[in-house]
Every structure is written in structure tokens, then in C-alpha cells.
Amino acid sequence: MTVRSVKKRRSRKNRVYGLIVAVLIILISAVLGNTVYKAAREKYLLYNYPIKYGDIVERYAKENSVDKFLIYAIIKTESNFDSEAVSNVGARGLMQIMDETFQWVRYRLGDQEDLEYDLMFDPEQNIRYGSYLIGYLLDYFGSMNEAVCAYHAGVGSVDSWLQNSEYSKDGKTLDTVPASDTKHYLNKIKDALNEYQNLYTEDNKNA
């Protein structure tokens, strides 16, 4: 075997080894890159969809037979967990309770008549009232979409939409949400609910 043949063989081996190393580097980089991306994305989502007031939410979710993640989704969408939040129409607190809603829920819960609307700045009482309300709406309409729409637009509005064949074929389910702001609100709630379920439900985390 000539020196030239040995050199050629070595050169081919070096190219093959080099190619293998390059492929391995690309694969490792891709795996690490994907892992880093997933970790960064999860950290971002955990920051943007936090679990706060956990004991309170757990208590009133169970008391009113409401998915706790739906309550978190409403709080996230309504106030972004700001207990002092006040909307441009005067709704207050974590779950953005209006004065007339406060009065209605207070009566339904049998609370003292001299309680003031400022109570809705208290996180526990706001979640108590908001959870009762969404639980009532879920019972009233029998489904989440209509209940969430009513949380935003009011029972009267959703009832009228359901009675309109243009928006509901069966009078029970909204095929179309005619108010663009309520439709947008419903989509935000559903997106937030999906994120909470994916982030904090063990079956989804391990999938």
C-alpha cells in the first residue's frame, strides 16, 4: 500500500468522522435549543398565569362547584390579580364586581345589609362573591360559554340572544355571540383557562 493510498484512506475517515461529529453537534444543539425554549416558555407562562390566593380560590371553587381554573382565568382576565382594580364602569376588585351585582349576591348569600361595596376590594370577599356568581350562572345556563358571556354582559342580554334564532338554533346554546366585546371576553377567558389547565394539571404536564 502506498503512502498516498494511506493518506487518502485517512482523509476519507477524517471526513466521515467530521461529518458524524457535525451531525451530533447539530442534533445536540437542536435538543438543547428545544429544551431551553420549552423551559423559557414555561417560565414565561407561569409568570403570566400565576396561582395567587390559592386557599381562597380552592375553598370557594369547591363551595360553588366551579372549576378553580375557571376562577383563576376570570381573575386573570378581569383584573390581572390586582385586588384594587377599578374598571371604567366602576367594577371593583379581583373578579370585577359591579355595585348592583354586589347587592344581589349579598342578598342571595344572606350577608348583613349594612355591608358596603368597598368590601369588594377585599380579596377573599371578592372571590367569594365572584365564585358564587359564576357558579349561579353555570347552574342557570348549564354550560360555560353562556355563563361566561352572562358574567360579562348580564343574564338579560344572554337570555335575549338565546331567544333569537339568528344567534341560537336551540335556545340553549349560543351559536354566535353578537356583541363583539363579549365575544372577545369569552375568547380571552377560554384561552386563559386553557393555559391554566395545561400549566397546573398533572395529566397535561406529564403528557
Side-chain angles (χ1 to χ4, degrees), residues 60-61 63-64 66 71 95 104-109 126-139 151:
Y60 293 112
E63 188 173 295
N64 295 284
V66 179
I71 295 176
M95 297 184 74
W104 182 83
V105 175
R106 180 193 59 74
Y107 173 78
R108 297 275 301 190
L109 290 174
N126 188 283
I127 292 172
R128 177 177 173 237
Y129 275 54
S131 299
Y132 176 87
L133 176 59
I134 191 64
Y136 170 86
L137 294 172
L138 286 167
D139 286 340
Y151 193 95

Side-chain angles (χ1 to χ4, degrees), residues 33-207:
N34 190 47
T35 301
V36 171
Y37 167 77
K38 285 184 176 179
R41 183 176 186 276
E42 183 174 8
K43 187 173 182 180
Y44 168 81
L45 290 172
L46 288 170
Y47 175 80
N48 280 279
Y49 297 92
I51 293 294
K52 297 183 179 180
Y53 310 104
D55 292 342
I56 300 172
V57 171
E58 293 269 355
R59 174 183 174 184
Y60 293 112
K62 184 176 181 180
E63 188 173 295
N64 295 284
S65 301
V66 179
D67 181 351
K68 64 182 178 181
F69 295 124
L70 176 56
I71 295 176
Y72 284 124
I74 292 173
I75 295 173
K76 165 66 181 177
T77 302
E78 290 283 1
S79 68
N80 199 26
F81 293 89
D82 180 3
S83 63
E84 299 295 320
V86 179
S87 75
N88 58 355
V89 293
R92 294 183 178 182
L94 293 170
M95 297 184 74
Q96 290 290 276
I97 307 297
M98 293 289 290
D99 190 7
E100 58 269 28
T101 303
F102 163 73
Q103 300 296 341
W104 182 83
V105 175
R106 180 193 59 74
Y107 173 78
R108 297 275 301 190
L109 290 174
D111 285 350
Q112 298 175 358
E113 294 184 9
D114 60 352
L115 291 180
E116 297 183 357
Y117 183 36
D118 282 348
L119 186 69
M120 290 299 93
F121 288 125
D122 177 81
E124 179 166 0
Q125 294 304 318
N126 188 283
I127 292 172
R128 177 177 173 237
Y129 275 54
S131 299
Y132 176 87
L133 176 59
I134 191 64
Y136 170 86
L137 294 172
L138 286 167
D139 286 340
Y140 182 89
F141 289 104
S143 63
M144 190 193 76
N145 283 5
E146 288 69 33
V148 168
C149 286
Y151 193 95
H152 181 264
V155 172
S157 294
V158 176
D159 275 339
S160 68
W161 297 339
L162 289 171
Q163 292 168 16
N164 190 329
S165 60
E166 185 179 350
Y167 309 132
S168 174
K169 295 176 183 177
D170 60 7
K172 296 179 180 180
T173 303
L174 284 173
D175 302 309
T176 301
V177 179
S180 59
D181 56 341
T182 300
K183 182 178 181 179
H184 178 66
Y185 177 82
L186 174 62
N187 289 335
K188 288 181 68 176
I189 293 290
K190 291 167 73 174
D191 287 344
L193 176 60
N194 183 61
E195 294 293 357
Y196 272 106
Q197 290 174 333
N198 286 336
L199 283 168
Y200 299 104
T201 300
E202 286 301 319
D203 290 344
N204 288 331
K205 288 175 69 175
N206 296 330

